[in-house]
Amino acid sequence: MRQLLASFLILTVPASLAAQTPVAAAQPVAETLSGRKDYAQISLEELLNKDIVVAATKTRIDVAKAPVSVTVLTPDDIRRSGATSLGELFRAVPGLDVLESFPGHISVSARGTSEVFVNNMLVLIDGRRLEFQVAGVPFFENAPVRLEDVKRIEVIKGPVGALYGTNALAGVISITTYAADEVKGTLVSLTGGNRDTAGASFRHAGRAGAWSYKLLGGYTYTSTWATLDDSETGPRAAIRKGDLLGAMSRTFSDDSRIDVEAGLTKGDLASLTVVTTQTRDFTWPHFRLAYG
């Protein structure tokens, strides 16, 4: 294919130019001053390189060859979206139904199956299920994850219960966060906006001997739709949440790896009623130990 392409280029370039600038069989990929690739000079082989997804089949496969509809969100996509929460981010994904039945209460589904308590869209965070065992419902605002720490999101639209079991009738949302050895340094993020929205996040990662470590934390506050007058009957806040997480990892000489992670998410969420001022307090501790 490369020889055919090179021949085509030589035949179509005027003779005067061809004599001055001969076409090389393989040219390195050019990069701009900002470090980004110049796609006008990428080789045909690299241009045809497809993005790899894992959630669709639980194996590495090209997006174009996946047996279901897949949408991939990268950190650049998240920054460009301007979203301050997972619910806002998923509104930009084609084919997803995002319902905010009450301030701060977000439910996500696909293929027209949207409900207040939707339990047919499986949500995974680093491979672990995010759901209440009573009803299988994921509450995104309770999730122990900050947008600034998200490495990749794969959205699978369509039934994949044969791979994942229950709660995957409408699809899967797989959220992957950065490992401790992938983001060295310190990151601080401050957010503010309408609806009295305010938030702060921090992350610090580095090495301590043979171990890599990551510390992550943050606070989020969002008010209700209406003003905070005394006449209002709804809860005073849609969501108030604080996160704190620590993770450590080590890779051994035989390429085996161990990961230890522990965290706590605590806050309150607006109640699903419009006649009381109740809020639902939640505490979400989690611990993960993995070796492979």
Side-chain angles (χ1 to χ4, degrees), residues 70-73 88-98 153 155 157:
V70 184
T71 299
V72 178
L73 299 175
E88 292 181 8
L89 178 64
F90 292 141
R91 292 184 188 277
V93 179
L96 284 189
D97 300 317
V98 180
I153 299 178
V155 181
K157 287 159 288 186

Side-chain angles (χ1 to χ4, degrees), residues 16-291:
S16 58
L17 294 179
Q20 299 173 6
T21 56
V23 178
Q27 298 179 354
V29 177
E31 295 189 2
T32 63
L33 295 177
S34 62
R36 297 180 181 274
K37 293 180 179 179
D38 181 2
Y39 288 95
Q41 301 185 32
I42 289 182
S43 65
L44 183 61
E45 289 83 357
E46 188 169 356
L47 188 62
L48 292 178
N49 238 349
K50 300 296 191 302
D51 196 6
I52 302 298
V53 295
V54 178
T57 60
K58 289 191 176 181
T59 58
R60 294 175 58 85
I61 187 173
D62 293 345
V63 171
K65 297 180 180 179
V68 291
S69 175
V70 184
T71 299
V72 178
L73 299 175
T74 65
D76 285 339
D77 297 327
I78 297 174
R79 283 193 294 269
R80 286 194 295 264
S81 71
T84 59
S85 66
L86 289 172
E88 292 181 8
L89 178 64
F90 292 141
R91 292 184 188 277
V93 179
L96 284 189
D97 300 317
V98 180
L99 175 64
E100 188 172 7
S101 56
F102 205 78
H105 178 83
I106 303 293
S107 59
V108 178
S109 187
R111 313 275 175 143
T113 58
S114 181
E115 301 175 1
V116 175
F117 289 99
V118 59
N119 62 356
N120 56 17
M121 195 80 179
L122 179 62
V123 178
L124 304 174
I125 298 180
D126 293 328
R128 310 185 305 277
R129 286 175 173 249
L130 173 71
E131 63 185 29
F132 281 100
Q133 296 299 322
V134 176
V137 178
F139 287 98
F140 286 96
E141 298 298 348
N142 296 18
V145 62
R146 312 295 298 186
L147 279 181
E148 295 82 0
D149 196 47
V150 172
K151 176 183 177 181
R152 185 180 180 86
I153 299 178
E154 296 181 12
V155 181
I156 313 301
K157 287 159 288 186
V160 285
L163 285 176
Y164 289 95
T166 58
N167 302 72
L169 178 63
V172 174
I173 297 176
S174 178
I175 303 172
T176 303
T177 62
Y178 284 105
D181 56 355
E182 293 179 326
V183 283
K184 296 180 181 179
T186 303
L187 178 145
V188 177
S189 174
L190 299 175
T191 303
N194 59 358
R195 288 176 54 184
D196 294 331
T197 298
S201 300
F202 78 90
R203 182 185 66 207
H204 176 72
R207 292 189 63 86
W211 290 82
S212 298
Y213 67 88
K214 180 182 73 172
L215 297 175
L216 178 71
Y219 178 78
T220 300
Y221 174 86
T222 302
S223 182
T224 55
W225 286 324
T227 61
L228 301 181
D229 295 334
D230 294 335
S231 60
E232 292 297 325
T233 58
R236 291 295 182 262
I239 176 69
R240 285 180 291 188
K241 181 180 75 168
D243 302 288
L244 184 62
L245 178 144
M248 298 185 68
S249 64
R250 179 178 179 179
T251 302
F252 299 93
S253 57
D254 59 352
D255 288 337
S256 61
R257 178 186 178 95
I258 185 171
D259 291 276
V260 183
E261 178 183 307
L264 176 67
T265 300
K266 186 175 179 60
D268 53 59
L269 185 67
S271 173
L272 295 180
T273 176
V274 295
V275 296
T276 68
T277 58
Q278 296 177 354
T279 56
R280 180 174 59 84
D281 298 328
F282 62 87
T283 302
W284 197 305
H286 68 280
F287 176 79
R288 178 171 67 101
L289 175 63
Y291 177 79

